[in-house]
Amino acid sequence: MMRMIGGKRYYHGNNMVELEETRKFKEIVTDTFQLSGATNIGDFVPFLNYVGINRLDKRLKDLQQKRDRFLQDLVEEHRRVRRDSCSQQRSKTMIDVLLSLQETESEYYTDEIIKGLMLVMLTAGSDTSAGTMEWAMSLLLNNPEALKKGQAELDTHVGPDKLIEESDLNKLPYLQAIVKETLRICPAAPLIPAHESSEQCTIGGFRVPSGTMLLVNVWAIQNDPTLWAEPTKFKPERFLCPEGPRDGFVFMPFGFGRRGCPGEGLAMRVVSLVLGSLIQCFEWERDGEEMVDMSEGVGLTMPKARPLFAKCWPRPAMVNLLSQL
């Protein structure tokens, strides 16, 4: 995600400066998810906010200042490179594109807007995708017949002579069904991020005052036995019908309507490509006889309580291709 945003990798460093930058970045990401998923007691007992007992507010303000400095430094670095570079062949990042738009539409593409877009991409597009892939592999290891069907589809439509590419996804409905079924059972955001009612209304007989904080329990909807047949069973086949089960607001891991997640298309492609690569290239097996633990952890997104451990080895048909990478 950071390579798309800023053209950098933050999992290693060749010198002390890069190592320090990597450390700061990882610290910011970790603190963001820890604090964003924390319960703010001040929301329930406002008095604590006034007497200074609520420490979460201070930690959130400190985090925001730290994130703002980091993102502003990244924007300024790209601004300097753009100013000093004479080459038009340099690959463009998301920041480069937004800075070029800033030159012609400065009122719409301020530094604040650019930093906001970067922050949304990082917080909503990294942990969520990684978590979804971990849940998907866990479900496949507990349902090896689905794993075999996914591999067979890849063998038929992609073959052993090349890795799966984005252009192949339209030919792989079962792979996409695996991703959708994973998002149904284990949505990355079990509660859609809070919205606020702009005016008073009545929904289902309940009066909702203006300014009410609204939370939609997507997990409960997508695992409701009155809406889904055998909701606890992993069945990608339920998403193979042409119309799909999205109508009726029963499947909405990305929210819905104009307030839905704008990164849905990117997320589906990234998760499908990575998951497809993993099952195309490797055989997978549980690390022991027991089923993979599917307990849920605590956080802003829905992590696994216990990280996934599994055995894998190259598929015989893919050894030649893998040896050339």
Side-chain angles (χ1 to χ4, degrees), residues 200-271:
Q200 180 179 313
C201 58
T202 300
I203 300 177
F206 292 93
R207 173 180 169 273
V208 181
S210 173
T212 300
M213 183 186 294
L214 305 173
L215 294 167
V216 178
N217 191 337
V218 170
W219 185 93
I221 294 171
Q222 295 181 172
N223 287 271
D224 187 342
T226 65
L227 301 175
W228 297 86
E230 300 180 291
T232 59
K233 189 172 182 180
F234 182 68
K235 293 171 58 178
E237 290 77 9
R238 71 174 92 230
F239 285 94
L240 293 179
C241 54
E243 66 279 4
R246 183 147 189 172
D247 294 339
F249 304 103
V250 297
F251 178 72
M252 43 184 177
F254 296 97
F256 213 92
R258 63 178 181 172
R259 302 299 183 197
C261 175
E264 177 177 354
L266 175 63
M268 288 299 295
R269 285 170 174 78
V270 169
V271 173

Side-chain angles (χ1 to χ4, degrees), residues 162-181:
K162 75 180 188 76
L163 292 176
I164 178 177
E165 298 175 353
E166 185 177 349
S167 58
D168 297 317
L169 293 180
N170 289 334
K171 300 178 291 185
L172 303 169
Y174 195 78
L175 174 64
Q176 295 184 64
I178 289 173
V179 176
K180 291 176 181 177
E181 179 71 340

Side-chain angles (χ1 to χ4, degrees), residues 24-75:
K24 288 181 180 179
F25 174 75
K26 291 183 176 180
E27 184 180 278
I28 288 172
V29 172
T30 300
D31 289 349
T32 295
F33 281 99
Q34 286 181 347
L35 295 179
S36 298
T39 298
N40 185 6
I41 191 65
D43 288 341
F44 304 96
V45 188
F47 171 74
L48 298 179
N49 293 327
Y50 295 105
V51 298
I53 296 177
N54 182 18
R55 297 180 180 177
L56 183 60
D57 273 358
K58 183 180 184 308
R59 293 177 65 193
L60 285 169
K61 289 176 182 176
D62 291 343
L63 172 61
Q64 177 54 26
Q65 291 176 358
K66 190 187 303 182
R67 289 191 307 202
D68 189 73
R69 284 195 301 270
F70 181 86
L71 296 175
Q72 187 65 52
D73 288 345
L74 204 52
V75 170

